[in-house]
């Protein structure tokens, strides 16, 4: 099996599992994203060379307790409560670990723990809230599926436009393959897709979907560039090889990880 065929097949499996888990039930959605969060955390900790069990413990506690109310169909809490609990757990566990383990280079070690929580765990906890941010606080699968469709639309057309028409580098020192033309093409495709989504996914208005598309296209690129920066410093191409032909889970979720908190804040406001 050549690399192209492997990439197509693994991509189809990825899309099928993700779409099925989102549409089947809130439990399958929350379960899948819990597993993906742990894989992304594992890959990121390898990239920054962090060996610690506490980010996993904090991730598990934050995700489980952050979603207990959603499982029981109780109205969700505010962003400040979620982030506050996660930060408190991070601070407490990090200092406890350093004191008990007598770690050298305390500031560096503590900084990596904070970074792994803020960069991976917080976005996934907030991402899991997005389908429940509606008037009834009920699970709306089309909300989170729509976000991923926008991500896929933006990434696909950014790649196609950039490859065929891209000339102006977006940020050459971080990601030499990304171009301004590709970014613009991805944003336009994302906006068009948001208008189409609004005709079928009616939980949000057309304007709301357009705003979400803007957040996805802008902050999704930031997320991609930030992960590229970490990988460049680590001297690696992919976060792992867990998804054949596509790299790792972090490579597939880097855009939505960075965009999700901004989408969450926007939906809390509206």
């Amino acid at each position: 099996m050549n690399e192209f065929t492997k990439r197509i097949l693994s991509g189809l499996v990825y899309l099928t599992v993700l779409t099925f888990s989102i549409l089947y039930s809130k439990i399958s959605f929350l379960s899948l994203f819990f597993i993906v969060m742990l894989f992304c955390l594992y890959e990121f900790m390898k990239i920054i060379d962090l060996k610690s069990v506490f980010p996993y413990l904090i991730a598990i506690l934050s995700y489980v307790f952050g979603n207990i109310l959603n499982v029981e169909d109780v109205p969700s809490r505010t962003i400040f409560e979620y982030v506050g609990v996660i930060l408190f757990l991070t601070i407490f566990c990090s200092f406890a670990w350093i004191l008990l383990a007598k770690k050298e280079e305390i500031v560096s070690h503590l900084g990596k723990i904070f970074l792994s929580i803020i960069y991976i765990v917080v976005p996934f906890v907030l991402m899991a809230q997005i389908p429940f941010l509606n008037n009834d606080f009920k699970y709306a699968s089309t909300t989170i599926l729509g976000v991923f469709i926008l991500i896929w639309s933006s990434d696909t057309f950014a790649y196609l436009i950039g490859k065929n028409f891209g000339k102006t580098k977006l940020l050459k020192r971080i990601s030499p393959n990304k171009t301004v033309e590709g970014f613009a093409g991805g944003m336009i495709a994302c906006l068009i897709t948001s208008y189409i989504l609004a005709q079928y996914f009616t939980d949000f208005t057309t304007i709301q979907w357009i705003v979400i598309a803007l957040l996805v296209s802008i902050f999704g690129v930031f997320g991609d560039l930030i992960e590229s920066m970490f990988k460049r410093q680590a001297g690696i191409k992919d976060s792992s090889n867990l998804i054949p032909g596509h790299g790792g889970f972090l490579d597939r979720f880097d855009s939505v990880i960075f965009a999700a908190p901004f989408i969450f804040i926007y939906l809390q406001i509206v």
Side-chain angles (χ1 to χ4, degrees):
M1 183 183 298
N2 59 43
E3 191 65 26
F4 179 75
T5 303
K6 186 188 299 183
R7 182 178 176 85
I8 293 296
L9 290 177
S10 61
L12 288 173
V13 172
Y14 162 74
L15 290 175
T16 301
V17 171
L18 185 66
T19 303
F20 174 80
S21 298
I22 290 173
L23 293 178
Y24 186 71
S25 73
K26 64 183 175 183
I27 300 300
S28 61
F29 159 72
L30 292 172
S31 300
L32 176 68
F33 276 68
F34 174 71
I35 294 170
V36 171
M37 176 187 69
L38 294 180
F39 274 118
C40 287
L41 185 59
Y42 164 76
E43 292 174 354
F44 183 66
M45 288 173 62
K46 284 190 64 178
I47 290 174
I48 63 175
D49 191 28
L50 173 61
K51 296 178 177 63
S52 174
V53 70
F54 277 100
Y56 293 108
L57 294 177
I58 296 168
I60 293 169
L61 289 172
S62 300
Y63 194 90
V64 170
F65 284 102
N67 287 290
I68 282 178
L69 297 182
N70 290 333
V71 172
E72 296 176 350
D73 289 325
V74 178
S76 66
R77 293 162 289 185
T78 67
I79 181 176
F80 303 105
E81 289 174 311
Y82 285 118
V83 176
V85 169
I86 295 170
L87 290 179
F88 172 76
L89 288 171
T90 304
I91 293 169
F92 177 80
C93 293
S94 299
F95 279 111
W97 166 247
I98 288 172
L99 288 172
L100 294 173
K102 299 179 181 179
K103 274 280 183 184
E104 298 180 359
E105 300 181 356
I106 291 176
V107 175
S108 174
H109 187 77
L110 186 60
K112 288 181 179 180
I113 292 177
F114 272 103
L115 182 60
S116 63
I117 300 302
I118 299 302
Y119 182 56
I120 302 296
V121 179
V122 171
F124 268 98
V125 172
L126 299 183
M127 194 189 308
Q129 308 305 311
I130 290 176
F132 300 91
L133 294 179
N134 51 65
N135 293 331
D136 300 321
F137 299 103
K138 299 292 185 181
Y139 177 65
S141 59
T142 53
T143 302
I144 192 66
L145 181 60
V147 170
F148 274 95
I149 291 173
L150 292 175
I151 288 282
W152 298 331
S153 172
S154 178
D155 288 349
T156 300
F157 281 90
Y159 171 76
L160 293 174
I161 299 297
K163 183 178 181 180
N164 292 286
F165 305 101
K167 294 181 180 179
T168 309
K169 300 298 181 183
L170 186 62
L171 199 60
K172 187 175 181 179
R173 66 184 179 85
I174 299 297
S175 184
N177 294 326
K178 284 187 170 47
T179 63
V180 173
E181 293 83 1
F183 170 70
M187 177 179 285
I188 292 170
C190 194
L191 290 171
I192 294 172
T193 303
S194 71
Y195 179 80
I196 297 172
L197 282 178
Q199 313 309 308
Y200 299 96
F201 295 176
T202 56
D203 293 307
F204 299 139
T205 66
T206 301
I207 296 298
Q208 288 172 334
W209 275 117
I210 288 174
V211 173
I212 292 173
L214 287 172
L215 294 174
V216 162
S217 57
I218 294 171
F219 292 106
V221 170
F222 270 103
D224 198 351
L225 289 171
I226 288 171
E227 198 220 353
S228 295
M229 176 185 69
F230 284 121
K231 291 191 296 185
R232 195 175 186 86
Q233 290 184 351
I236 59 175
K237 181 182 177 183
D238 299 319
S239 59
S240 76
N241 59 357
L242 293 175
I243 305 178
H246 290 268
F249 284 89
L250 190 55
D251 294 322
R252 300 278 61 81
F253 280 81
D254 56 356
S255 298
V256 72
I257 282 174
F258 205 76
F262 293 96
I263 296 172
F264 179 92
I265 293 170
Y266 169 68
L267 294 180
Q268 283 280 5
I269 293 172
V270 300

